[in-house]
Amino acid sequence: MRVGHRALDILLALVERAGDLVSKQELIARAWPRTFVDESNLKVHVAALRKALRDGQGDLRYIVNIPGRGYKFVAQVRILEETDAPRPAGAALPPGNLPAQLGSVVGRSDQVETIVRLLSEARLVTVVGPGGIGKTTAAVAAAERLLARFPDGVWFVDLAPVTDPALVPTALATVLGRPVRSTMPTPELITSLADKAILIVLDNCEHLVAAAAGLAEALVRDTGAAVLATSREPLRAGGERVVRLPPLAMPDRSDGLTAAAALAYPAVRVFVERAIATRDTFTFTDAEAPLVAAICRRLDGIALAIEMAAGCVDSLGLADIARLLDDRFHLLTRGRRTALARHQTLEAALDWSYGLLPAPERLLFRRLGVFAGWFTTTAAEAVLAGDETRPLCVAEAIASLASKSLVVVDVAGETARYRLLDSTRAYALEKLAEAGELAAVKRAHAEHCRDLFTAAARDWNLQPTAIWRATWQPLTDDLRAALDWACGPDGDVALAVALTVAAVPLWLELSLLEECRVRVDRALVSLEQAGAAESPEAMRLYTALAWSQMYTSTRARDTNAMWARALALAEAFGDVDHQLRALWGLWADSKNRGRFRDAAAIAGRFSALAKATGQMSDVLVGERMIGDSLHFLGEQDAARQHIERMLETYRAPRHRSDQVRFQFDQIVTARMTLSRVLWLQGRPDQALRMAAETVAAAEALDHPLSLCNLLAQAACPIALLVGDLDAARRWTALLVSLTTRDALHGWRTYATCFEGDALLQSGDLPGGIARLQAGVETLRKATFVQYLTCFLGQLAAGLCRADRLDEARAVIDEALTRCEATDEAWCVAELMRIKGEIAGRDPADTSAADWFARSLDVARAQKALAWELRTATSLVAHAQRRTGDSGRGSERGAAFASAVSTLRAVLARLPDDTSTADLTAARGVLEGVDTRARRT
């Protein structure tokens, strides 16, 4: 472990009195005898010791601060006897002046290994990276590894204080202790080093690149020396090998991140080590892990910036640090006092690089700050065009900035992409504002984005969906930045509206519904204020607004009215595509409101219009809509025919995304309805298998809306209907995660009800009833009531099992009344069965058998074998309770025998190898009957 001699003195003083308090005054006297120093110097060296010892990592604790008094060494100390054996002759370290590392080298083992390897293959290696990324740390760590290879020494030359290129050779000569006898000392240096096996580390070369390159070339060409340089750009010297330092690895997300998982990332370890060195009471637990990971991401994995942020933990909480990073150049001013001036604040580090740029590159650099994400040279040229930039070759200038580590380059695709790290971009925007250029460049950027996304909306009709998404999704951050400016106090309302209209396909394609809703509503207000509410732009915006708020509780305007307005405008402008979209929206809204007969009629209108256009994919979407409507109306055979006909021949348009036009992937949605029909028709295994396969397919699509719709309408309810609680809980948890993230409040409420149903099935009646009551109450207040009647049935069943019969009766009557009013017939048989169960628990109520009979009639008429099985099982159980035994020779006995016969007939129509909770219950009832019969 390498530490400075004063840090070593402090460590020895603490270890000698391990377990005891050593005052600050005693430690200062030990490390700085007969010298007055500020107490802050002691803090710096104690922090270095803690970092070197990895104090605070895992369970390791060595040095504890006793506030206001001193420090204590708390680790166990074991004293070994000294040996009198002399040091082997060859064990002496070679000469040199490498600076002691102020701590462990975190996250750079691969790069250090690469440097060591390259120096065995070539004798000139340059470590390149932006300011504060850790170039010096990596270079010194590699040089330490190479000490034994260079018997004549490893010598460190800090060029930061050197401002005159002519003094670079002199700086080397001074470090080596060579006299400087002329104004051109390089030849003398070359002569003196001709036969030396020596490694020279030239640190901080960026402001003296040409001079450093000339010296390095001469050393490598004419002596046996090797040169390891650090710079923000390559030296471009002959024989040079370049090692670029990437940012420290960091977690790409914070959700569910644990402390143990976070500490696997070097960026987090750097933060934690510095935080503990700053405040020894700092603890890193699962609660802190997500925030620290977010801070590291905001700081781009730049070691210097992360250390500065961690240095604030003595006065700020983690949440405050994360919040204040928006003003990072004022926050991050806590670098080490022993650091170079340009490394004591983040702004100073960037000032150094910015000051080294020629004027044209400074102009380009600050204007590139307007890009929020990746950009190409073409985009840069479009935004930066102007009188000042005409003499400048933008492509060459960007390449130059990239070589100086101010721009990140991605050459993985066909076209090179560039971006500024977040901290660098914030600095560039500050410089842009200082130059008085911010408004003009922001406008140019917004106009560029408008043109880009107008082309994107056009290309949506021409490009395959996957290619379209891959092209335009990376520009989302720039779109947001452009809209923020255009909608701001210095922006342009007309430009904001045009940009919003052009961006709608992207928001819908990516399921960014809340973002779409907010932006579109703002644009509509602007259009209405400008008297342009009767325009094609308004038609597109009304469509987008209605779409975006269908599954959220936040309603800017009435959704049905928005769809009707969009349809009227589409008819007025003869826009058939938007007529189909609006009809689809009216159909979906009618379903969500529980108006199933209206939905069926609208599906017929959609189908007729689609047939008139001759677009086969639209015709088949109409088939699916009709099939889905028939399913809710209780016509399962007809519903299945329409859905299967659609699935047999539907092919998604190659150049148009039906995910954007009709909100969901149509194959996923059709299979969703079919799986529900299959369950109703007595094919539970097939239904559950189809649901599981479709969930996997929907996850692969990376389209959250399609996946949420599937989970809410099919996967979760089918798993619960089958009794597969593991699958139900897994899919419900996924639905909760997606709907919480994307503010899809309607489906989030569904998830609450599914949780309640699962609790009921697992025997937790109070918990299940409470969850269902909460979900049902939310749905009652909303217009998103498509599945409300089914949830009311589950709640009534739970209340019945808990013997809360009056409440159960009120809830089931509400459900049956809703079905009668809306023609929602698919679950009526089940609701009647539950009504019979409630009646059967009340000795004064004799209507149970009648309700069961009515339920059976409805189930048979709909060919809903699943409901028929449930009702037949309930009928046998009820008849058995009424008779008390096998009931032979009595009227009740005849009813009981008839019920048993009915149940056996239903079971005979089901596959023998099927196993569900309902089948288990039915078979259990019959086994009880058979056992009782054998006894008698």
Side-chain angles (χ1 to χ4, degrees):
M1 181 181 75
R2 289 175 58 88
V3 294
H5 73 274
R6 287 196 170 92
L8 182 59
D9 287 339
I10 294 168
L11 178 60
L12 288 172
L14 290 169
V15 171
E16 288 167 1
R17 295 169 57 185
D20 295 332
L21 171 69
V22 183
S23 71
K24 296 177 182 178
Q25 292 73 22
E26 291 175 283
L27 292 172
I28 290 173
R30 178 73 172 263
W32 292 273
R34 297 179 301 279
T35 304
F36 174 79
V37 297
D38 187 79
E39 187 181 301
S40 61
N41 290 277
L42 176 62
K43 288 184 177 180
V44 168
H45 285 79
V46 170
L49 277 174
R50 282 179 171 152
K51 190 167 183 180
L53 293 167
R54 300 190 178 185
D55 195 346
Q57 291 192 22
D59 297 325
L60 298 178
R61 293 313 300 263
Y62 294 100
I63 301 172
V64 172
N65 177 35
I66 309 301
R69 300 176 63 193
Y71 297 88
K72 184 187 294 186
F73 193 85
V74 296
Q76 184 179 3
V77 175
R78 187 158 54 98
I79 301 175
L80 302 176
E81 292 187 9
E82 293 186 21
T83 176
D84 294 329
R87 181 189 294 272
L93 289 174
N97 69 331
L98 278 180
Q101 297 273 28
L102 290 180
S104 55
V105 180
V106 178
R108 294 302 185 201
S109 56
D110 289 347
Q111 288 79 29
V112 168
E113 189 66 39
T114 299
I115 295 167
V116 170
R117 176 177 55 80
L118 289 178
L119 277 170
S120 67
E121 301 171 359
R123 289 191 293 123
L124 173 55
V125 174
T126 303
V127 181
V128 175
I133 202 160
K135 299 183 292 296
T136 301
T137 298
V140 171
E144 286 179 342
R145 292 268 305 274
L146 294 164
L147 285 169
R149 193 184 299 176
F150 296 97
D152 293 311
V154 176
W155 300 94
F156 184 87
V157 184
D158 184 6
L159 296 178
V162 180
T163 57
D164 186 348
L167 295 178
V168 171
T170 301
L172 173 58
T174 301
V175 166
L176 295 175
R178 302 289 196 273
V180 179
R181 299 187 178 90
S182 72
T183 57
M184 298 184 63
T186 301
E188 296 177 23
L189 275 173
I190 296 300
T191 300
S192 67
L193 297 176
D195 59 349
K196 301 296 185 183
I198 189 173
L199 173 63
I200 295 168
V201 181
L202 297 177
D203 194 37
N204 301 302
C205 297
E206 53 271 357
H207 60 305
L208 303 163
V209 168
L215 177 61
E217 281 187 343
L219 289 169
V220 171
R221 182 182 63 243
D222 300 328
T223 76
V227 177
L228 174 58
T230 72
S231 175
R232 300 187 187 186
E233 61 178 305
L235 302 185
R236 296 185 179 85
E240 178 188 27
R241 305 291 290 276
V242 175
V243 177
R244 287 195 176 271
L245 285 192
L248 292 172
M250 52 200 158
D252 58 4
R253 62 177 184 82
S254 294
D255 296 343
L257 188 68
T258 65
L263 284 170
Y265 294 91
V268 175
R269 291 207 304 276
V270 166
F271 186 98
V272 172
E273 286 185 9
R274 180 61 193 277
I276 290 172
T278 301
R279 194 188 82 215
D280 71 332
T281 57
F282 178 82
T283 57
F284 186 64
T285 67
D286 291 350
E288 286 81 27
L291 263 179
V292 171
I295 290 169
C296 292
R297 284 197 300 275
R298 291 286 305 279
L299 296 174
D300 307 306
I302 303 297
L304 173 66
I306 291 170
E307 288 196 0
M308 288 179 180
C312 297
V313 298
D314 59 344
S315 57
L316 295 171
L318 291 177
D320 291 326
I321 293 172
R323 177 175 53 83
L324 291 172
L325 282 179
D326 287 336
D327 192 12
R328 65 192 70 190
F329 297 121
H330 289 96
L331 175 68
L332 304 183
T333 58
R334 302 283 294 274
R336 294 191 183 89
R337 287 183 176 87
T338 56
L340 294 169
R342 68 175 184 276
H343 278 181
Q344 289 182 359
T345 73
L346 181 59
E347 188 167 23
L350 289 166
D351 278 340
W352 174 263
S353 293
Y354 185 71
L356 294 175
L357 297 176
E361 289 186 14
R362 283 202 300 272
L363 181 146
L364 175 65
F365 168 73
R366 63 179 179 260
R367 293 188 178 183
L368 289 177
V370 77
F371 288 102
W374 293 97
F375 59 87
T376 63
T377 55
T378 302
E381 288 168 352
V383 170
L384 304 176
D387 292 338
E388 300 113 318
T389 58
R390 281 175 188 164
L392 184 68
C393 177
V394 172
E396 289 182 7
I398 291 175
S400 178
L401 291 173
S403 74
K404 294 167 183 170
S405 304
L406 287 170
V407 172
V408 179
V409 185
D410 175 19
V411 293
E414 294 181 2
T415 303
R417 301 189 305 163
Y418 308 88
R419 76 177 181 93
L420 273 61
L421 296 177
D422 285 350
S423 298
T424 311
R425 177 173 180 262
Y427 177 85
L429 287 173
E430 281 199 2
K431 293 300 176 186
L432 195 63
E434 289 174 9
E437 302 168 348
L438 187 62
V441 178
K442 286 271 192 179
R443 172 178 289 279
H445 176 256
E447 291 172 345
H448 172 67
C449 287
R450 176 202 58 201
D451 296 342
L452 278 179
F453 282 96
T454 299
R458 181 184 64 247
D459 290 349
W460 171 76
N461 287 314
L462 304 173
Q463 286 184 331
T465 300
I467 295 174
W468 189 89
R469 285 184 60 150
T471 301
W472 300 108
Q473 184 172 3
L475 298 177
T476 304
D477 288 336
D478 275 292
L479 168 66
R480 290 168 179 153
L483 276 168
D484 287 344
W485 175 82
C487 296
D490 300 323
D492 183 321
V493 171
L495 182 55
V497 170
L499 190 52
T500 302
V501 170
V504 165
L506 182 74
W507 287 323
L508 298 182
E509 186 71 58
L510 301 182
S511 298
L512 300 174
L513 296 190
E514 182 63 11
E515 181 175 355
C516 181
R517 185 192 67 77
V518 172
R519 301 282 194 184
V520 167
D521 188 53
R522 185 182 299 162
L524 269 173
V525 170
S526 298
L527 273 183
E528 290 164 357
Q529 291 174 345
E534 303 286 333
S535 61
E537 290 78 12
M539 172 191 72
R540 295 184 180 91
L541 291 174
Y542 280 125
T543 301
L545 181 61
W547 233 323
S548 63
Q549 64 184 26
M550 285 183 70
Y551 302 100
T552 70
S553 61
T554 306
R555 299 288 176 103
R557 308 162 190 237
D558 179 70
T559 306
N560 189 267
M562 291 300 96
W563 284 122
R565 183 74 178 134
L567 179 60
L569 289 172
E571 289 173 342
F573 295 119
D575 189 322
V576 175
D577 181 55
H578 274 80
Q579 288 178 53
L580 289 170
R581 295 191 198 196
L583 285 170
W584 182 94
L586 287 167
W587 169 80
D589 188 68
S590 295
K591 281 207 317 169
N592 290 341
R593 293 170 183 267
R595 300 170 181 170
F596 297 101
R597 189 65 64 184
D598 291 346
I602 295 169
R605 288 178 62 189
F606 180 102
S607 183
L609 180 59
K611 289 175 181 176
T613 67
Q615 178 68 38
M616 183 51 64
S617 63
D618 291 343
V619 172
L620 293 172
V621 170
E623 285 284 314
R624 184 193 70 76
M625 292 165 62
I626 292 171
D628 190 79
S629 302
L630 292 172
H631 157 66
F632 280 98
L633 292 171
E635 300 178 36
Q636 305 308 330
D637 275 350
R640 184 173 176 180
Q641 290 172 12
H642 281 279
I643 298 294
E644 288 182 338
R645 183 158 56 240
M646 179 267 189
L647 285 171
E648 285 172 5
T649 54
Y650 177 82
R651 297 293 180 273
R654 185 169 180 270
H655 298 310
R656 283 195 299 175
S657 171
D658 280 348
Q659 290 174 3
V660 171
R661 299 177 68 230
F662 307 123
Q663 205 159 45
F664 307 119
D665 181 87
Q666 296 300 300
I667 295 294
V668 166
T669 311
R671 289 171 64 85
M672 174 192 81
T673 306
L674 182 57
S675 63
R676 290 168 59 98
V677 172
L678 288 171
W679 184 86
L680 286 168
Q681 293 187 329
R683 295 171 173 81
D685 290 347
Q686 191 176 345
L688 188 61
R689 184 167 59 252
M690 178 174 287
E693 291 171 351
T694 311
V695 167
E699 288 179 311
L701 286 173
D702 189 26
H703 189 247
L705 276 184
S706 295
L707 179 55
C708 285
N709 192 42
L710 169 66
L711 292 168
Q713 301 280 359
C716 293
I718 287 173
L720 289 165
L721 288 166
V722 169
D724 188 339
L725 294 186
D726 288 340
R729 292 187 179 109
R730 183 172 67 253
W731 287 334
T732 300
L734 178 58
L735 182 61
V736 168
S737 174
L738 293 170
T739 53
T740 301
R741 182 194 69 187
D742 294 337
L744 301 171
H745 306 106
W747 285 326
R748 178 62 185 87
T749 305
Y750 277 28
T752 298
C753 294
F754 295 142
E755 290 167 344
D757 191 359
L759 288 171
L760 290 180
Q761 292 194 40
S762 62
D764 182 359
L765 294 182
I769 289 170
R771 295 298 283 165
L772 276 164
Q773 284 177 325
V776 162
E777 187 59 31
T778 300
L779 291 175
R780 282 190 182 119
K781 296 175 183 177
T783 57
F784 195 69
V785 296
Q786 178 179 340
Y787 216 67
L788 174 58
T789 49
C790 187
F791 291 137
L792 287 169
Q794 291 158 359
L795 175 58
L799 291 167
C800 175
R801 289 171 58 194
D803 288 323
R804 295 163 60 174
L805 299 184
D806 288 343
E807 293 174 78
R809 196 173 287 110
V811 171
I812 200 65
D813 287 347
E814 177 187 349
L816 286 166
T817 300
R818 289 188 62 85
C819 286
E820 185 176 353
T822 64
D823 291 319
E824 182 180 5
W826 76 277
C827 61
V828 166
E830 171 67 353
L831 298 178
M832 290 177 170
R833 182 194 71 82
I834 295 169
K835 178 78 171 177
E837 289 282 3
I838 297 167
R841 285 194 175 240
D842 185 352
D845 192 335
T846 60
S847 65
D850 181 55
W851 282 109
F852 290 141
R854 291 174 65 182
S855 173
L856 283 172
D857 288 344
V858 172
R860 287 165 180 160
Q862 295 182 4
K863 298 183 180 177
L865 190 57
W867 295 146
E868 197 175 346
L869 173 66
R870 284 192 175 189
T871 303
T873 303
S874 292
L875 185 60
V876 171
H878 172 71
Q880 191 169 316
R881 287 194 299 271
R882 300 278 288 174
T883 59
D885 53 28
S886 62
R888 291 178 183 174
S890 68
E891 182 179 342
R892 289 182 176 179
F896 176 70
S898 174
V900 170
S901 176
T902 297
L903 180 56
R904 292 189 192 281
V906 172
L907 283 171
R909 291 153 57 198
L910 290 164
D912 292 334
D913 58 350
T914 300
S915 178
T916 67
D918 289 344
L919 281 165
T920 299
R923 289 163 180 160
V925 166
L926 288 181
E927 286 175 6
V929 170
D930 293 340
T931 299
R932 209 170 285 105
R934 285 193 294 272
R935 290 197 191 124
T936 59

